């Protein structure tokens, strides 16, 4: 019952949710003012839930369904595409953490990554479950457009989705936003690594240019098998390099991170404490977005705990603490 209510609330727009809440509170206020017995108030609440439970079934008349590995890409597509296109956006980071077991993955993310800075842990997991539910209920007659790009997360993500769709009858169009953007020969020098970096109107043009490229069954099966192979690996960090997914040690960027922190501390903080977010922002730019900021913050925090930095504040997010490099040769700075 509770899970059904959560799903129904998630499907409401902000306006509809506020309206329903307002009407519910008004009705309950009326009942309390006329001294209705508690049992009748409970019955009224149950009646409201039953009304919610009889919402019309989800639409099945979409022309196409788009699947993306990030909510930012999903949001851009919702803006750029017509209303007869449904977009399913996943919140995930398949470039980091265990892939071999969902429980081990969730535990590692909880213990190491500050992914819940902007939303509750329960909401993060609920959003993923909701997206999986939508994926599993795609009508077989609706074509699927699967978006990817030249970064480890989205490359792994589209293999994961194709494994989930392995037994489906839906036609699948796989669009690599990075290579499709390059085909447009735009005058600027911008080359997106993530599909979420591309403007909505440009994503629409890319879709119109690539929408007929249906992925052959043998290619779908091969990519699905590659997801299964990735699941068997035991690494915690993956990168996209030389047109392939490569596992690397989680300390892979530590030396660059230390060098970047030294430069930021010298240039902007006069060798005093500097906000972790400032270092991570600089590092993210230097690496051209090839590593997500959550992972960069994890490595900065780990280096601080290992004694490379003094730390000031509580490291519950990159905005809540500052660091200063220690003098490793002569003790504390």
């Amino acid at each position: 019952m509770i899970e059904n209510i959560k799903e129904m609330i998630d499907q409401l727009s902000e306006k509809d949710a506020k309206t329903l809440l307002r009407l519910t509170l008004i009705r309950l206020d009326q009942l309390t003012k006329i001294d209705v017995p508690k049992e009748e108030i409970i019955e009224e609440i149950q009646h409201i839930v039953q009304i919610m439970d009889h919402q019309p079934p989800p639409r099945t008349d979409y022309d196409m369904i788009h699947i993306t590995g990030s909510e930012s890409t999903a949001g851009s597509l919702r803006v750029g595409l017509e209303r007869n296109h449904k977009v399913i956006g996943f919140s995930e980071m398949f470039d980091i953490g265990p892939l071999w077991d969902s429980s081990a993955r969730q535990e590692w993310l909880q213990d190491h990554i500050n992914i819940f800075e902007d939303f509750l842990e329960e909401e993060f997991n609920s959003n993923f479950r909701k997206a999986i539910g939508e994926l599993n209920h795609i009508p077989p007659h609706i074509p699927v457009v699967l978006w990817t790009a030249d970064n480890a997360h989205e490359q792994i993500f589209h293999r994961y989705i194709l494994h989930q769709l392995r037994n489906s009858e839906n036609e699948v169009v796989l669009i690599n936003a990075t290579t499709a953007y390059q085909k447009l020969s735009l005058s600027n020098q911008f080359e997106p690594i993530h599909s979420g970096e591309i403007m909505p109107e440009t994503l629409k043009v890319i879709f119109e240019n690539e929408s007929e490229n249906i992925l052959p069954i043998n290619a779908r099966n091969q990519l699905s098998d590659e997801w299964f192979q990735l699941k068997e690996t035991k690494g915690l960090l993956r990168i996209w390099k030389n047109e392939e997914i490569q596992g690397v040690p989680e300390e892979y960027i530590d030396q660059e991170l230390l060098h970047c922190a030294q430069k930021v501390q010298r240039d902007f903080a006069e060798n005093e404490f500097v906000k972790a977010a400032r270092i991570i922002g600089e590092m993210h730019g230097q690496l051209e977005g090839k590593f997500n900021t959550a992972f960069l913050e994890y490595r900065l925090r780990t280096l601080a705990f290992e004694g490379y930095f003094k730390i000031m504040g509580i490291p519950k997010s990159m905005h809540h603490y500052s660091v200063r490099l220690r003098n490793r040769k002569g003790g504390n700075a």
Side-chain angles (χ1 to χ4, degrees):
M1 172 68 77
I2 296 299
E3 286 301 320
N4 290 340
I5 293 174
K6 287 181 179 179
E7 290 181 10
M8 286 182 284
I9 291 174
D10 287 340
Q11 292 173 8
L12 293 173
S13 67
E14 182 178 354
K15 180 180 178 181
D16 290 341
K18 288 182 177 179
T19 300
L20 179 62
L21 177 60
R22 188 181 302 113
L23 292 174
T24 302
L25 292 176
I26 290 173
R27 181 59 179 148
L28 292 177
D29 183 61
Q30 291 172 340
L31 292 172
T32 54
K33 284 181 178 179
I34 61 176
D35 197 24
V36 172
K38 182 174 66 175
E39 291 77 12
E40 292 188 23
I41 294 178
I42 293 174
E43 288 180 5
E44 185 69 18
I45 294 174
Q46 291 174 337
H47 177 66
I48 292 170
V49 171
Q50 288 173 356
I51 293 174
M52 291 175 60
D53 199 22
H54 288 83
Q55 295 295 313
R59 284 178 55 187
T60 59
D61 59 341
Y62 293 103
D63 289 345
M64 283 194 170
I65 292 181
H66 299 251
I67 303 173
T68 76
S70 76
E71 280 296 342
S72 61
T73 308
S76 294
L77 287 171
R78 291 185 185 112
V79 171
L81 299 174
E82 289 77 13
R83 297 302 174 214
N84 58 340
H85 290 244
K86 177 179 175 62
V87 182
I88 302 174
F90 281 77
S91 297
E92 250 295 354
M93 296 175 287
F94 279 137
D95 51 335
I96 63 174
L99 293 178
W100 59 88
D101 179 80
S102 58
S103 296
R105 176 170 181 77
Q106 183 173 347
E107 183 178 349
W108 188 88
L109 291 173
Q110 289 173 339
D111 291 345
H112 296 85
I113 305 297
N114 281 326
I115 58 176
F116 308 124
E117 176 183 348
D118 298 320
F119 42 79
L120 297 176
E121 173 185 339
E122 182 179 351
E123 183 178 347
F124 179 86
N125 295 326
S126 174
N127 288 347
F128 187 85
R129 290 194 300 269
K130 178 185 175 185
I132 285 291
E134 292 180 304
L135 181 71
N136 291 335
H137 288 87
I138 296 176
H141 66 279
I142 302 180
V144 169
V145 181
L146 180 54
W147 291 81
T148 189
D150 283 351
N151 62 83
H153 161 63
E154 289 187 88
Q155 288 290 327
I156 298 169
F157 172 77
H158 81 248
R159 289 163 168 82
Y160 167 78
I161 294 297
L162 288 170
H163 188 75
Q164 297 296 314
L165 296 175
R166 189 179 183 96
N167 297 319
S168 75
E169 300 175 11
N170 305 79
E171 290 184 345
V172 176
V173 174
L174 179 63
I175 299 179
N176 185 315
T178 301
T179 56
Y181 186 94
Q182 293 167 348
K183 292 179 186 177
L184 298 178
S185 300
L186 300 176
S187 58
N188 59 50
Q189 299 298 312
F190 170 65
E191 292 189 3
I193 293 177
H194 300 269
S195 57
E197 298 171 351
I198 303 174
M199 297 298 291
E201 57 271 20
T202 307
L203 285 174
K204 180 181 180 181
V205 173
I206 288 174
F207 164 68
E208 291 170 348
N209 290 345
E210 305 287 331
S211 61
E212 300 299 322
N213 298 328
I214 298 172
L215 195 62
I217 292 297
N218 60 338
R220 287 175 61 169
N221 291 339
Q222 179 181 338
L223 291 166
S224 171
D225 290 341
E226 289 177 14
W227 159 256
F228 194 77
Q229 294 166 10
L230 285 165
K231 273 195 66 176
E232 298 301 306
T233 62
K234 297 299 180 182
L236 297 173
L237 177 61
R238 294 158 287 275
I239 64 173
W240 178 249
K241 187 176 181 180
N242 298 328
E243 301 296 313
E244 65 178 10
I245 300 163
Q246 300 181 12
V248 295
E250 59 180 297
E251 305 87 6
Y252 186 72
I253 58 167
D254 283 5
Q255 289 304 312
E256 289 181 76
L257 187 54
L258 286 167
H259 180 75
C260 178
Q262 183 180 46
K263 184 176 185 303
V264 171
Q265 184 175 304
R266 182 182 65 245
D267 295 347
F268 298 104
E270 298 181 355
N271 291 319
E272 294 299 325
F273 283 94
V274 60
K275 282 286 187 183
R278 184 62 182 266
I279 296 172
I280 292 164
E282 291 286 328
M283 189 68 176
H284 187 71
Q286 286 185 25
L287 297 174
E288 299 179 334
K290 294 177 182 177
F291 295 86
N292 68 60
T293 56
F295 178 77
L296 296 178
E297 190 278 326
Y298 158 60
R299 291 313 305 169
L300 181 70
R301 179 168 23 96
T302 299
L303 289 170
F305 292 159
E306 290 177 353
Y308 288 90
F309 296 96
K310 294 187 70 175
I311 189 168
M312 180 173 66
I314 301 174
K316 60 182 180 179
S317 84
M318 69 179 75
H319 302 290
H320 286 86
Y321 68 102
S322 301
V323 296
R324 186 179 72 185
L325 278 163
R326 292 180 183 270
N327 185 338
R328 301 287 289 180
K329 293 182 179 180
N332 293 352

